[in-house]
Amino acid sequence: MTGRWPLREPDTDPLNTSTHYTKTHAEEHEMADHTTNWPPPRKRLTPQEQARVTAKYKTMYADGTSIRRIAAMSGRSYGFVHRCLADADVMFRSRGGKAR
């Protein structure tokens, strides 16, 4: 049996944030906004690249983009984006979604 769990097609949401379906790193990088000129994924960033990327993440987050969406667009992990924002002293939004 091949494929990832659950074995079903992803929904119409391009980032597929509404299901447990996970994209591979290559699939996420294909979705990346190439006009932003992101550094290649899994590459150690120079201090200048780190500062530029962090400033872009900070702007996107302030404009309302979620950390998961920023991570998918840039081809980086959620933890990397979160750490960059934390290092930039960003005030994080509260968690979204319905109260159960």
XYZ file of all heavy atoms in Angstrom:
804
model
N 0.851 -1.169 0.000
C 0.000 0.000 0.000
C 0.898 1.234 0.000
O 1.794 1.346 0.818
C -0.882 -0.035 1.239
C -1.960 0.989 1.259
S -3.009 0.673 2.690
C -4.566 0.772 1.918
N 0.686 2.149 -0.930
C 1.512 3.345 -1.020
C 0.696 4.572 -0.672
O -0.521 4.537 -0.643
C 2.085 3.510 -2.433
O 0.992 3.669 -3.328
C 2.945 2.341 -2.829
N 1.395 5.697 -0.443
C 0.717 6.960 -0.150
C 0.821 7.316 1.305
O 1.365 6.587 2.127
N 0.304 8.474 1.599
C 0.307 8.967 2.969
C -1.067 8.814 3.583
O -2.062 8.766 2.892
C 0.719 10.447 2.981
C 2.154 10.633 2.537
C 2.581 12.067 2.661
N 2.127 13.009 1.678
C 2.348 12.990 0.372
N 2.991 12.017 -0.178
N 1.922 13.928 -0.414
N -1.114 8.775 4.876
C -2.381 8.672 5.582
C -2.978 10.037 5.709
O -2.257 10.983 5.955
C -2.146 8.087 6.964
C -3.426 7.940 7.714
C -4.262 6.879 7.662
C -4.017 8.889 8.575
N -5.337 7.095 8.447
C -5.213 8.340 9.037
C -3.685 10.162 9.011
C -6.058 9.001 9.900
C -4.526 10.807 9.878
C -5.695 10.221 10.309
N -4.241 10.329 5.607
C -5.239 9.413 5.082
C -5.129 9.318 3.574
O -4.733 10.268 2.921
C -6.563 10.040 5.495
C -6.288 11.491 5.613
C -4.851 11.601 6.028
N -5.491 8.180 3.045
C -5.353 7.960 1.610
C -6.570 8.542 0.896
O -7.514 7.849 0.571
C -5.209 6.469 1.323
C -3.995 5.814 1.954
C -3.997 4.322 1.698
C -2.732 6.444 1.405
N -6.536 9.838 0.685
C -7.609 10.508 -0.036
C -7.030 11.750 -0.684
O -5.947 12.199 -0.333
C -8.759 10.873 0.890
C -8.420 11.890 1.948
C -9.623 12.075 2.870
N -9.551 13.316 3.602
C -9.963 14.498 3.159
N -10.462 14.614 1.960
N -9.879 15.578 3.899
N -7.752 12.284 -1.624
C -7.293 13.474 -2.316
C -7.411 14.687 -1.392
O -8.359 14.793 -0.617
C -8.138 13.715 -3.571
C -7.922 12.668 -4.640
C -6.490 12.662 -5.142
O -5.938 13.739 -5.390
O -5.936 11.559 -5.277
N -6.462 15.616 -1.466
C -6.561 16.822 -0.661
C -7.724 17.693 -1.131
O -8.159 17.598 -2.274
C -5.224 17.525 -0.894
C -4.721 16.966 -2.172
C -5.273 15.576 -2.283
N -8.243 18.523 -0.244
C -9.341 19.423 -0.575
C -8.858 20.518 -1.512
O -7.702 20.590 -1.878
C -9.927 20.025 0.705
C -10.602 18.961 1.563
O -11.044 17.937 1.001
O -10.663 19.146 2.780
N -9.746 21.427 -1.856
C -9.416 22.486 -2.802
C -8.508 23.548 -2.200
O -7.936 24.335 -2.927
C -10.694 23.163 -3.323
O -11.421 23.672 -2.208
C -11.542 22.173 -4.101
N -8.371 23.591 -0.900
C -7.479 24.556 -0.251
C -6.050 24.256 -0.690
O -5.535 23.171 -0.441
C -7.612 24.430 1.273
C -6.729 25.391 2.042
O -6.108 26.267 1.411
O -6.668 25.268 3.274
N -5.364 25.217 -1.356
C -4.034 24.908 -1.887
C -3.010 24.550 -0.820
O -2.065 23.823 -1.080
C -3.628 26.178 -2.631
C -4.488 27.247 -2.092
C -5.759 26.580 -1.637
N -3.175 25.059 0.387
C -2.251 24.708 1.457
C -2.761 23.552 2.290
O -2.074 23.054 3.161
C -1.990 25.915 2.361
C -1.271 27.050 1.669
C -1.102 28.208 2.628
C 0.071 26.612 1.153
N -4.007 23.138 2.010
C -4.606 21.975 2.645
C -4.548 22.068 4.165
O -4.183 21.134 4.844
C -3.918 20.705 2.145
C -4.831 19.511 2.293
O -6.038 19.683 2.436
N -4.271 18.338 2.277
N -4.918 23.223 4.704
C -4.861 23.429 6.142
C -6.037 22.794 6.869
O -6.035 22.724 8.084
C -4.829 24.931 6.467
O -5.969 25.545 5.857
C -3.555 25.567 5.963
N -7.056 22.332 6.129
C -8.260 21.825 6.770
C -8.253 20.312 6.976
O -9.200 19.772 7.502
C -9.480 22.224 5.936
O -9.382 21.642 4.658
N -7.217 19.598 6.559
C -7.188 18.146 6.724
C -5.867 17.718 7.347
O -4.982 18.520 7.575
C -7.327 17.442 5.360
O -6.177 17.725 4.594
C -8.564 17.879 4.618
N -5.748 16.433 7.586
C -4.514 15.896 8.139
C -3.541 15.453 7.053
O -2.500 14.904 7.342
C -4.809 14.708 9.062
C -5.551 15.114 10.285
N -4.972 15.792 11.318
C -6.846 14.960 10.635
C -5.864 16.037 12.255
N -7.008 15.540 11.858
N -3.913 15.675 5.807
C -3.038 15.322 4.685
C -1.800 16.199 4.752
O -1.893 17.402 4.905
C -3.789 15.552 3.380
C -2.971 15.355 2.136
C -2.871 14.108 1.556
C -2.304 16.419 1.538
C -2.134 13.914 0.411
C -1.570 16.237 0.397
C -1.487 14.989 -0.171
O -0.754 14.806 -1.302
N -0.627 15.595 4.671
C 0.592 16.390 4.726
C 1.311 16.342 3.389
O 1.380 15.298 2.746
C 1.544 15.885 5.827
O 1.827 14.519 5.581
C 0.936 16.054 7.204
N 1.825 17.470 2.980
C 2.562 17.553 1.729
C 4.034 17.271 2.009
O 4.525 17.510 3.091
C 2.432 18.953 1.132
C 1.034 19.281 0.647
C 1.044 20.640 0.020
C -0.230 21.030 -0.649
N -1.403 20.342 -0.380
N 4.721 16.748 1.013
C 6.154 16.565 1.150
C 6.825 17.923 1.045
O 6.223 18.909 0.603
C 6.699 15.647 0.045
O 6.531 16.296 -1.213
C 6.012 14.291 0.050
N 8.072 17.989 1.445
C 8.813 19.243 1.393
C 8.883 19.761 -0.043
O 8.751 20.953 -0.290
C 10.213 19.044 1.964
C 10.937 20.308 2.226
N 10.609 21.146 3.261
C 11.960 20.904 1.564
C 11.402 22.186 3.234
N 12.236 22.065 2.211
N 9.047 18.872 -1.010
C 9.127 19.276 -2.413
C 7.801 19.864 -2.886
O 7.775 20.859 -3.611
C 9.522 18.087 -3.280
N 6.673 19.263 -2.469
C 5.361 19.786 -2.856
C 5.147 21.184 -2.290
O 4.614 22.060 -2.966
C 4.254 18.857 -2.368
C 4.170 17.548 -3.111
C 3.194 16.582 -2.466
O 3.062 16.572 -1.221
O 2.566 15.841 -3.222
N 5.559 21.407 -1.036
C 5.410 22.725 -0.438
C 6.278 23.747 -1.156
O 5.868 24.880 -1.365
C 5.760 22.677 1.043
C 4.715 21.971 1.873
C 5.075 21.906 3.340
O 6.194 22.319 3.699
O 4.235 21.431 4.112
N 7.487 23.341 -1.542
C 8.369 24.277 -2.224
C 7.824 24.635 -3.604
O 7.985 25.763 -4.059
C 9.781 23.719 -2.338
C 10.761 24.714 -2.862
N 11.006 25.900 -2.226
C 11.519 24.727 -3.966
C 11.888 26.591 -2.925
N 12.215 25.901 -3.989
N 7.146 23.692 -4.277
C 6.539 23.988 -5.564
C 5.463 25.053 -5.429
O 5.245 25.841 -6.337
C 5.934 22.721 -6.173
C 6.954 21.782 -6.753
C 6.318 20.508 -7.271
O 5.085 20.485 -7.455
O 7.060 19.546 -7.492
N 4.775 25.079 -4.269
C 3.733 26.069 -4.037
C 4.310 27.432 -3.681
O 3.601 28.417 -3.665
C 2.850 25.643 -2.854
C 1.948 24.511 -3.150
S 0.790 24.229 -1.798
C 1.716 24.597 -0.364
N 5.573 27.487 -3.354
C 6.175 28.716 -2.852
C 5.996 29.873 -3.820
O 5.952 29.689 -5.029
C 7.657 28.500 -2.574
N 5.890 31.040 -3.264
C 5.744 32.247 -4.063
C 7.127 32.603 -4.600
O 7.922 33.216 -3.921
C 5.183 33.364 -3.179
C 5.006 34.662 -3.921
O 5.154 34.687 -5.154
O 4.722 35.657 -3.249
N 7.417 32.219 -5.827
C 8.754 32.397 -6.372
C 9.075 33.853 -6.677
O 10.224 34.192 -6.893
C 8.940 31.522 -7.610
C 8.881 30.068 -7.288
N 9.873 29.437 -6.576
C 7.943 29.131 -7.518
C 9.562 28.161 -6.409
N 8.390 27.958 -6.971
N 8.085 34.734 -6.692
C 8.363 36.149 -6.920
C 9.017 36.780 -5.708
O 9.601 37.847 -5.806
C 7.071 36.910 -7.254
O 6.171 36.790 -6.155
C 6.436 36.362 -8.517
N 8.931 36.139 -4.552
C 9.508 36.674 -3.329
C 11.001 36.401 -3.256
O 11.702 36.983 -2.466
C 8.800 36.077 -2.097
O 7.404 36.254 -2.269
C 9.211 36.765 -0.836
N 11.486 35.493 -4.078
C 12.913 35.173 -4.098
C 13.373 34.561 -2.769
O 14.351 35.003 -2.175
C 13.742 36.416 -4.415
C 14.717 36.161 -5.516
O 14.768 35.060 -6.046
N 15.480 37.164 -5.857
N 12.672 33.533 -2.307
C 13.046 32.861 -1.070
C 14.354 32.112 -1.273
O 14.591 31.571 -2.343
C 11.968 31.859 -0.661
C 10.645 32.450 -0.352
C 9.522 32.342 -1.109
C 10.280 33.229 0.785
N 8.489 33.005 -0.511
C 8.922 33.554 0.656
C 10.973 33.684 1.895
C 8.240 34.311 1.597
C 10.288 34.443 2.829
C 8.947 34.742 2.688
N 15.187 32.032 -0.232
C 16.377 31.174 -0.332
C 15.934 29.717 -0.476
O 14.853 29.356 -0.031
C 17.095 31.387 1.008
C 16.509 32.597 1.603
C 15.134 32.747 1.031
N 16.764 28.870 -1.078
C 16.373 27.465 -1.238
C 16.128 26.801 0.122
O 16.816 27.111 1.101
C 17.576 26.824 -1.929
C 18.473 27.919 -2.338
C 18.074 29.150 -1.620
N 15.148 25.898 0.199
C 14.889 25.211 1.463
C 16.061 24.325 1.866
O 16.849 23.890 1.029
C 13.638 24.388 1.176
C 13.570 24.275 -0.289
C 14.269 25.459 -0.856
N 16.145 24.079 3.144
C 17.187 23.229 3.737
C 18.587 23.747 3.469
O 19.538 22.983 3.401
C 17.037 21.792 3.266
C 15.709 21.222 3.700
C 15.628 19.772 3.447
N 14.317 19.319 3.914
C 13.824 18.151 3.685
N 14.514 17.268 3.024
N 12.650 17.834 4.130
N 18.708 25.032 3.316
C 20.008 25.658 3.126
C 20.245 26.578 4.321
O 19.359 27.328 4.710
C 20.019 26.479 1.833
C 21.280 27.290 1.625
C 21.111 28.240 0.431
C 22.293 29.158 0.305
N 22.238 30.307 1.200
N 21.424 26.504 4.892
C 21.745 27.390 6.009
C 21.800 28.815 5.491
O 22.415 29.099 4.471
C 23.079 26.993 6.626
C 23.384 27.752 7.908
C 24.649 27.238 8.541
N 24.473 25.879 9.019
C 24.179 25.577 10.278
N 24.036 26.529 11.168
N 24.049 24.334 10.643
N 21.161 29.720 6.211
C 21.092 31.110 5.774
C 22.243 31.925 6.345
O 22.632 31.736 7.498
C 19.763 31.742 6.213
C 18.499 31.068 5.701
C 17.274 31.795 6.244
C 18.474 31.021 4.202
N 22.758 32.847 5.539
C 23.751 33.797 6.035
C 23.032 34.794 6.934
O 21.803 34.924 6.865
C 24.422 34.542 4.864
O 23.437 35.351 4.221
C 25.067 33.584 3.881
N 23.743 35.529 7.783
C 23.079 36.526 8.635
C 22.275 37.552 7.829
O 21.203 37.986 8.264
C 24.240 37.182 9.376
C 25.292 36.119 9.424
C 25.158 35.378 8.125
N 22.758 37.924 6.645
C 22.028 38.883 5.813
C 20.729 38.270 5.281
O 19.675 38.919 5.286
C 22.893 39.360 4.626
C 24.106 40.152 5.015
C 25.287 39.265 5.424
O 25.298 38.061 5.188
N 26.275 39.870 6.068
N 20.799 37.008 4.834
C 19.600 36.319 4.363
C 18.610 36.127 5.504
O 17.401 36.308 5.327
C 19.959 34.955 3.773
C 20.655 35.007 2.439
C 21.092 33.634 1.963
O 21.522 32.797 2.806
O 21.010 33.407 0.754
N 19.128 35.773 6.671
C 18.274 35.569 7.843
C 17.525 36.855 8.188
O 16.329 36.828 8.449
C 19.126 35.123 9.038
C 18.340 34.887 10.308
C 17.621 33.565 10.314
O 18.036 32.628 9.650
N 16.541 33.494 11.043
N 18.221 37.984 8.167
C 17.586 39.264 8.475
C 16.518 39.613 7.439
O 15.421 40.079 7.787
C 18.637 40.370 8.544
N 16.817 39.368 6.158
C 15.862 39.679 5.097
C 14.623 38.791 5.207
O 13.489 39.268 5.119
C 16.524 39.481 3.722
C 15.630 39.849 2.555
C 16.336 39.660 1.216
N 16.716 38.289 0.931
C 15.889 37.366 0.424
N 14.645 37.679 0.161
N 16.329 36.153 0.185
N 14.835 37.492 5.418
C 13.730 36.552 5.534
C 12.886 36.864 6.770
O 11.656 36.865 6.717
C 14.264 35.099 5.556
C 13.223 34.117 6.014
C 14.797 34.720 4.191
N 13.535 37.139 7.885
C 12.808 37.450 9.116
C 11.958 38.707 8.950
O 10.815 38.750 9.401
C 13.784 37.607 10.297
O 14.474 36.362 10.481
C 13.061 37.963 11.581
N 12.494 39.723 8.293
C 11.720 40.946 8.054
C 10.495 40.648 7.189
O 9.396 41.165 7.443
C 12.596 42.001 7.390
N 10.661 39.786 6.176
C 9.540 39.412 5.315
C 8.498 38.618 6.101
O 7.298 38.863 5.987
C 10.054 38.597 4.120
C 8.986 38.185 3.154
C 8.392 39.375 2.450
C 7.360 38.909 1.427
N 6.614 40.018 0.874
N 8.953 37.659 6.925
C 8.025 36.894 7.761
C 7.250 37.819 8.691
O 6.042 37.673 8.869
C 8.778 35.867 8.619
C 9.391 34.709 7.895
C 10.334 33.918 8.537
C 9.074 34.385 6.591
C 10.926 32.830 7.905
C 9.662 33.305 5.949
C 10.582 32.535 6.611
O 11.163 31.470 5.995
N 7.949 38.777 9.295
C 7.325 39.696 10.238
C 6.238 40.521 9.543
O 5.142 40.699 10.080
C 8.406 40.608 10.832
C 7.954 41.429 12.001
C 9.139 42.166 12.612
C 8.712 42.974 13.809
N 9.841 43.658 14.437
N 6.528 41.002 8.331
C 5.553 41.782 7.567
C 4.345 40.927 7.207
O 3.198 41.368 7.362
C 6.199 42.326 6.276
O 7.324 43.119 6.633
C 5.224 43.142 5.469
N 4.599 39.716 6.732
C 3.495 38.833 6.349
C 2.629 38.487 7.555
O 1.397 38.467 7.454
C 4.053 37.558 5.708
C 4.705 37.784 4.362
S 5.538 36.319 3.728
C 4.135 35.307 3.266
N 3.259 38.202 8.696
C 2.505 37.853 9.902
C 1.689 39.044 10.388
O 0.529 38.886 10.785
C 3.462 37.367 10.993
C 2.751 36.784 12.189
C 2.181 35.517 12.132
C 2.647 37.491 13.376
C 1.520 34.978 13.211
C 1.994 36.952 14.468
C 1.426 35.700 14.389
O 0.766 35.167 15.465
N 2.263 40.245 10.316
C 1.532 41.453 10.729
C 0.339 41.717 9.810
O -0.666 42.284 10.244
C 2.472 42.650 10.736
N 0.446 41.293 8.555
C -0.649 41.463 7.595
C -1.732 40.408 7.753
O -2.717 40.416 7.019
C -0.121 41.435 6.159
C 0.684 42.668 5.809
O 0.550 43.696 6.516
O 1.449 42.610 4.830
N -1.540 39.457 8.682
C -2.572 38.472 8.975
C -2.326 37.073 8.439
O -3.150 36.184 8.613
N -1.211 36.831 7.793
C -0.898 35.505 7.270
C -0.508 34.586 8.430
O 0.233 34.984 9.317
C 0.267 35.589 6.259
O -0.031 36.578 5.287
C 0.488 34.260 5.578
N -1.011 33.367 8.412
C -0.702 32.433 9.493
C 0.729 31.914 9.365
O 1.328 31.946 8.287
C -1.673 31.248 9.462
O -1.408 30.416 8.354
N 1.254 31.419 10.466
C 2.611 30.864 10.464
C 2.679 29.661 9.531
O 3.642 29.502 8.788
C 3.061 30.496 11.888
C 3.150 31.753 12.751
C 4.406 29.770 11.861
C 3.473 31.480 14.207
N 1.655 28.825 9.543
C 1.648 27.650 8.666
C 1.667 28.060 7.195
O 2.348 27.449 6.380
C 0.423 26.785 8.930
C 0.515 26.073 10.249
C -0.468 24.934 10.353
N -0.516 24.460 11.715
C 0.398 23.695 12.278
N 1.444 23.338 11.586
N 0.281 23.311 13.522
N 0.927 29.080 6.839
C 0.890 29.535 5.451
C 2.237 30.143 5.051
O 2.723 29.916 3.956
C -0.236 30.538 5.262
C -0.469 30.870 3.804
C -1.827 31.468 3.600
N -2.848 30.492 3.922
C -3.685 29.965 3.029
N -3.609 30.321 1.785
N -4.597 29.104 3.385
N 2.836 30.927 5.955
C 4.160 31.501 5.674
C 5.172 30.379 5.453
O 5.976 30.420 4.529
C 4.624 32.427 6.815
C 3.724 33.661 6.912
C 6.072 32.857 6.623
C 3.944 34.494 8.166
N 5.107 29.352 6.309
C 6.032 28.223 6.187
C 5.856 27.522 4.846
O 6.834 27.196 4.173
C 5.822 27.246 7.339
N 4.613 27.294 4.440
C 4.360 26.618 3.167
C 4.813 27.467 1.986
O 5.385 26.955 1.026
C 2.874 26.287 3.035
N 4.583 28.763 2.060
C 4.957 29.647 0.963
C 6.468 29.771 0.819
O 6.986 29.889 -0.286
C 4.352 31.038 1.171
C 2.845 31.075 0.965
S 2.111 32.636 1.433
C 2.948 33.757 0.351
N 7.177 29.738 1.940
C 8.624 29.936 1.894
C 9.409 28.637 1.774
O 10.611 28.661 1.549
C 9.091 30.696 3.140
O 8.861 29.936 4.305
N 8.725 27.493 1.944
C 9.419 26.215 1.866
C 10.200 25.882 3.122
O 11.102 25.051 3.094
N 9.882 26.524 4.214
C 10.543 26.273 5.500
C 9.567 25.606 6.458
O 8.361 25.548 6.209
C 11.020 27.604 6.124
C 12.063 28.317 5.313
C 13.381 27.615 5.440
N 14.378 28.202 4.552
C 15.652 27.971 4.641
N 16.119 27.167 5.562
N 16.491 28.519 3.799
N 10.064 25.134 7.576
C 9.206 24.471 8.553
C 8.483 25.494 9.420
O 8.893 26.656 9.539
C 10.038 23.546 9.446
O 10.859 24.317 10.314
N 7.403 25.019 10.050
C 6.647 25.848 10.986
C 7.567 26.337 12.098
O 7.549 27.502 12.473
C 5.489 25.032 11.569
C 4.692 25.770 12.613
C 3.554 26.464 12.269
C 5.092 25.771 13.952
C 2.817 27.149 13.229
C 4.368 26.450 14.913
C 3.234 27.138 14.544
O 2.516 27.819 15.496
N 8.393 25.427 12.630
C 9.294 25.780 13.734
C 10.298 26.845 13.351
O 10.603 27.734 14.144
N 10.818 26.765 12.121
C 11.777 27.762 11.665
C 11.126 29.140 11.612
O 11.683 30.127 12.103
C 12.312 27.374 10.278
C 13.279 28.372 9.711
C 14.622 28.321 10.048
C 12.851 29.359 8.844
C 15.523 29.244 9.525
C 13.740 30.288 8.318
C 15.075 30.225 8.662
N 9.936 29.206 11.013
C 9.234 30.493 10.903
C 8.880 31.026 12.296
O 9.085 32.202 12.598
C 7.965 30.359 10.033
C 7.168 31.647 10.025
C 8.342 29.956 8.616
N 8.392 30.164 13.156
C 8.021 30.579 14.520
C 9.246 31.106 15.269
O 9.180 32.125 15.958
C 7.400 29.397 15.262
C 6.833 29.767 16.593
N 7.601 29.850 17.728
C 5.573 30.098 16.957
C 6.832 30.204 18.744
N 5.597 30.365 18.304
N 10.368 30.404 15.124
C 11.595 30.835 15.804
C 12.071 32.187 15.277
O 12.488 33.048 16.046
C 12.672 29.769 15.637
C 13.909 30.003 16.469
C 14.860 28.810 16.475
N 15.112 28.241 15.160
C 14.588 27.097 14.712
N 13.772 26.402 15.481
N 14.879 26.651 13.515
N 11.992 32.397 13.969
C 12.378 33.692 13.392
C 11.503 34.809 13.943
O 11.991 35.886 14.305
C 12.254 33.672 11.868
S 13.548 32.754 11.038
N 10.192 34.557 14.009
C 9.273 35.572 14.530
C 9.522 35.835 16.014
O 9.480 36.973 16.460
C 7.821 35.147 14.292
C 7.369 35.109 12.833
C 5.978 34.483 12.728
C 7.390 36.493 12.224
N 9.797 34.777 16.766
C 10.077 34.944 18.196
C 11.364 35.739 18.406
O 11.427 36.616 19.273
C 10.178 33.581 18.876
N 12.380 35.463 17.598
C 13.645 36.200 17.691
C 13.466 37.669 17.319
O 14.228 38.522 17.763
C 14.717 35.574 16.796
C 15.175 34.215 17.302
O 14.882 33.883 18.476
O 15.825 33.491 16.523
N 12.453 37.952 16.490
C 12.170 39.328 16.082
C 11.226 40.024 17.061
O 10.746 41.122 16.785
C 11.573 39.346 14.684
N 10.947 39.385 18.191
C 10.074 39.937 19.238
C 8.676 40.271 18.730
O 8.090 41.298 19.089
C 10.707 41.183 19.880
C 11.994 40.858 20.608
O 12.073 39.759 21.197
O 12.923 41.687 20.567
N 8.123 39.390 17.904
C 6.766 39.563 17.401
C 5.785 39.144 18.484
O 5.988 38.138 19.161
C 6.562 38.712 16.122
C 5.103 38.654 15.726
C 7.403 39.252 14.996
N 4.708 39.916 18.647
C 3.634 39.554 19.565
C 2.717 38.581 18.819
O 2.107 38.945 17.819
C 2.840 40.783 19.991
C 1.699 40.463 20.920
S 2.224 39.918 22.544
C 2.681 41.464 23.263
N 2.677 37.333 19.279
C 1.900 36.319 18.584
C 0.415 36.484 18.855
O 0.013 36.888 19.947
C 2.343 34.911 19.006
C 3.719 34.570 18.512
C 4.804 34.581 19.371
C 3.916 34.257 17.182
C 6.073 34.266 18.900
C 5.186 33.937 16.706
C 6.262 33.945 17.574
N -0.391 36.152 17.838
C -1.838 36.174 17.985
C -2.262 34.962 18.799
O -1.554 33.952 18.832
C -2.509 36.117 16.612
C -2.208 37.316 15.744
C -3.020 37.292 14.460
N -2.634 36.241 13.530
C -1.761 36.397 12.538
N -1.182 37.557 12.351
N -1.491 35.402 11.731
N -3.437 35.050 19.390
C -3.955 33.888 20.113
C -4.365 32.828 19.103
O -4.585 33.124 17.925
C -5.139 34.280 20.989
O -6.195 34.767 20.174
N -4.515 31.616 19.566
C -4.882 30.528 18.679
C -6.287 30.752 18.154
O -7.162 31.226 18.858
C -4.809 29.212 19.414
C -3.386 28.839 19.774
C -3.350 27.565 20.515
N -3.897 26.492 19.686
C -3.374 25.307 19.572
N -2.306 24.998 20.243
N -3.916 24.386 18.815
N -6.522 30.368 16.906
C -7.835 30.560 16.290
C -8.702 29.327 16.413
O -8.375 28.374 17.106
N -9.801 29.365 15.734
C -10.697 28.225 15.712
C -11.778 28.340 16.756
O -11.773 29.194 17.634
N -12.752 27.450 16.642
C -13.883 27.452 17.566
C -13.489 26.867 18.915
O -12.694 25.943 18.996
C -15.014 26.590 16.993
C -15.738 27.180 15.835
C -16.729 26.169 15.329
C -18.100 26.763 15.288
N -19.083 25.819 14.802
N -14.100 27.390 19.950
C -13.932 26.790 21.273
C -14.788 25.526 21.308
O -15.904 25.505 20.804
C -14.382 27.758 22.354
N -14.259 24.486 21.888
C -15.002 23.227 21.927
C -15.781 23.113 23.187
O -15.506 23.413 24.224
C -14.045 22.056 21.787
C -13.425 22.049 20.438
C -12.498 20.852 20.315
N -11.708 21.004 19.112
C -11.677 20.117 18.146
N -12.372 19.010 18.257
N -10.955 20.299 17.096
